[in-house]
Amino acid sequence: MAKNATERFTELFSELEHSAESEQKQKMEELYGLMEEMGKEEFESIFTEELFNCIDKMIEEKKMHLENAVLLLTHIGYCMTLKRTFDCSFSFSSLSNRIEKMIIEENKKKDGKDEYQLVNLCECYLLNCALAPNEFPSICLPCFLKAASKKEEDDESQKEVEMALLSLSNIIYYRCDKELYLDEIKEIIEYHQEHHNLTRLAYQSAWQFLMNEFEYEECLEGVIVNELHFIKEASTEMEELSKCADWKREKKDERGKQIKEEFALIGWLGTLKCYFLNCKMWNEEFVGLIDGISRAFRAAKENNRDISYWCICSFEEAADQNAVKGDDLLKGGAVDFILEEIQQSTLNDEKTIYCLQFFDLIAKKLKGKKKEEMEKEERETSKRKVFDMLEEEGFEDAITSFYEVLNYLKGKRYRKLSLDIYDYLVNV
């Protein structure tokens, strides 16, 4: 009977401490392939605190060279990020303490600082760690930005840049000083816009980092929209990724590429959700942006429910913002797709909540319960269009079918979910 990926991984990993350094590297290449094969739950079952402690023990007993351990840890973090696995196992391990101390000690060196080693240590740490010490962003930011500024387009350089930017995007929950990053990240993004030197994943990661900081710095909106043309770039990238991604995964030899494309698309949707959450200014390109999300929804809805979920989240966040007009959501196709989605038999609890919340928000927007956003005549026209769509699609029947479980659904989220069916309908 053939062994599954977990069994093969466990067997190979147990052989590492008895292997010479060159043999270790060969076995590690096999381990990388097995990691990419694993599903999310299988992956989480393997990478426990116990496994990270075991790697630490091998380093301590000189059964694994530090360079090999860093390479292995970096690849674990890389796969963890692409599989959207968020676990604190590494953070609680003795290996985490070891890497933390090494980063601090390397950074303190006045002379002979090994910047390449510092970048590698920071990458393997931040790709695996749920929350780094407070001083780490100021240590890691300059390292990652310098590594990401490489202009060479050979495969090795592109991989280094991609890893640096992906690690950079993992610096979250911190307010970083703009002087530490703004000029450099702008230059990286603008250079790519002119020369297309970054991978899709690297480019999305650069934007994700900037968007993480936008949460704390309102003044970044002008830079993001007017100088770096975020809305246009996001729309273009999502359209291209929607076209090229093979959602059915029919080509096993390209599975790694497909996972990266899928992650990049979900990354853009997450970045958009963050943008909608913090944006304050209306933009005439919002319709194109909503249309871009609709295209992604159309490409993924049959074969990738995870991506369709992120599309719904983005629509709902857009509907909640005063900066986005009801007409933007209507013209961009958001209303059509949420109507279609809410009548699917496969809709789960969380998607149901987001769909109902979307209609609750757009109803308030079109009824004028939110900040005035359109002239009265324009708003009345939009309300009539939405109402006609709801009527044609039998939306009232769909809402009625959820009505008895609204109390249950309401308990699944902190945000208020109305129990009145008429709050979800738009009356002219």
Side-chain angles (χ1 to χ4, degrees), residues 1-9 11 15 34 37 42:
M1 184 176 175
K3 295 177 181 177
N4 61 32
T6 303
E7 291 170 330
R8 285 182 289 156
F9 184 95
E11 188 177 287
E15 293 172 6
L34 290 171
E37 272 184 46
E42 192 176 13

Side-chain angles (χ1 to χ4, degrees), residues 272-335:
L272 279 171
K273 190 175 187 299
C274 185
Y275 171 70
F276 286 134
L277 181 65
N278 297 291
C279 72
K280 298 290 187 292
M281 301 182 294
W282 178 79
N283 192 287
E284 61 185 8
E285 294 181 315
F286 275 157
V287 173
L289 189 57
I290 300 298
D291 181 63
I293 301 172
S294 299
R295 288 171 186 269
F297 203 167
R298 184 180 297 114
K301 67 176 182 176
E302 297 300 329
N303 302 303
N304 195 306
R305 302 294 290 174
D306 200 15
I307 288 175
S308 67
Y309 164 76
W310 279 99
C311 290
I312 293 169
C313 291
S314 298
F315 286 147
E316 189 263 358
E317 197 62 62
D320 196 27
Q321 293 310 303
N322 288 325
V324 182
K325 297 181 178 181
D327 219 33
D328 298 330
L329 297 163
L330 186 63
K331 290 178 180 177
V335 177

Side-chain angles (χ1 to χ4, degrees), residues 203-258:
Y203 189 48
Q204 187 278 316
S205 298
W207 273 111
Q208 184 61 57
F209 166 73
L210 192 54
M211 208 58 67
N212 290 342
E213 294 305 308
F214 181 32
E215 182 178 353
Y216 305 105
E217 295 284 355
E218 286 186 13
C219 61
L220 287 178
E221 186 165 7
V223 174
I224 287 168
V225 176
N226 300 325
E227 295 183 41
L228 297 177
H229 314 291
F230 168 72
I231 297 176
K232 179 183 176 184
E233 292 295 306
S235 302
T236 301
E237 287 294 308
M238 285 194 300
E239 183 176 354
E240 291 303 312
L241 284 163
S242 297
K243 287 178 185 175
C244 72
D246 181 359
W247 307 115
K248 293 183 181 178
R249 306 199 193 289
E250 291 172 349
K251 302 172 185 176
K252 290 186 179 179
D253 57 325
E254 292 187 5
R255 190 169 188 269
K257 180 184 176 185
Q258 291 164 11

Side-chain angles (χ1 to χ4, degrees), residues 70-71 73-82 86 103 116-132 136-148 158-174 176 185 199 201-210 212-213 263:
V70 170
L71 285 172
L73 190 57
T74 301
H75 205 89
I76 292 169
Y78 179 75
C79 288
M80 188 179 294
T81 303
L82 293 191
F86 302 100
I103 289 171
Y116 180 75
Q117 171 78 331
L118 187 56
V119 169
N120 288 338
L121 289 170
C122 288
E123 284 178 355
C124 78
Y125 184 86
L126 279 171
L127 287 171
N128 285 280
C129 187
L131 192 61
F136 269 39
S138 60
I139 296 174
C140 299
L141 262 174
C143 297
F144 292 151
L145 289 167
K146 186 174 182 180
Q158 276 205 330
K159 182 65 178 176
E160 287 178 16
V161 170
E162 184 178 89
M163 290 300 292
L165 287 171
L166 189 62
S167 303
L168 189 69
S169 71
N170 274 24
I171 298 179
I172 51 179
Y173 313 122
Y174 296 95
C176 301
I185 200 70
T199 65
L201 179 58
Y203 189 48
Q204 187 278 316
S205 298
W207 273 111
Q208 184 61 57
F209 166 73
L210 192 54
N212 290 342
E213 294 305 308
F263 181 83

Side-chain angles (χ1 to χ4, degrees), residues 362-397:
I362 199 170
K364 289 173 183 175
K365 193 181 285 285
L366 294 177
K367 287 176 182 178
K369 289 183 182 177
K370 292 206 121 188
K371 181 181 175 182
E372 286 298 324
E373 51 170 306
M374 292 183 271
E375 293 297 326
K376 184 176 180 181
E377 185 177 344
E378 184 183 354
R379 187 170 68 250
E380 295 301 317
T381 302
S382 295
K383 285 164 67 176
R384 170 53 63 187
K385 287 179 184 177
V386 174
F387 183 75
D388 288 345
M389 291 170 69
L390 301 182
E391 199 169 43
E392 286 172 16
E393 298 292 334
F395 180 68
E396 188 168 352
D397 291 337

